[in-house]
Amino acid sequence: SGSLSFEALSRGAKSATLVDINEVYLKAAKVFAEKIGEGENVMFFKASAINLPYSGRKYNLVLMDPPYDKNFIPKVLKSLIREKWLEDN
């Protein structure tokens, strides 16, 4: 749903990037972003978080809400590090 990202935006984050493999979820989040006036501040990226492509943009805050029963968190962290999504430090 992107709810964690939208909460961060409401608390002062300048932008957010939502990553999801499911296009239906991304479309719903995009509709919501437009509805609350954040459409220009949110990027939507269809991909598997465990197999991200290289990122030319660096992030200093990552919020994850994966299916917890699938042990995705370590895999997502490895993908974020491997593909250079994270700011130094």
Side-chain angles (χ1 to χ4, degrees):
S1 69
S3 60
L4 296 173
S5 295
F6 294 124
E7 181 67 22
L9 288 166
S10 78
R11 294 176 182 262
K14 294 180 182 168
S15 65
T17 300
L18 279 66
V19 177
D20 202 303
I21 194 72
N22 188 314
E23 193 168 334
V24 173
Y25 295 154
L26 287 175
K27 285 182 182 179
K30 187 173 185 175
V31 167
F32 184 73
E34 294 292 333
K35 185 175 184 175
I36 64 170
E38 292 287 358
E40 293 181 15
N41 300 324
V42 183
M43 292 185 349
F44 301 89
F45 191 54
K46 184 178 184 254
S48 167
I50 62 173
N51 193 22
L52 293 166
Y54 174 79
S55 176
R57 182 174 182 182
K58 303 287 184 172
Y59 296 87
N60 59 17
L61 175 64
V62 175
L63 304 168
M64 295 185 283
D65 192 20
Y68 294 100
D69 62 338
K70 302 211 185 230
N71 199 30
F72 281 165
I73 292 175
K75 295 173 186 175
V76 173
L77 289 172
K78 287 178 184 176
S79 182
L80 288 164
I81 293 165
R82 181 183 63 243
E83 300 305 332
K84 312 287 189 220
W85 281 66
L86 304 176
E87 282 282 352
D88 293 338
N89 299 319

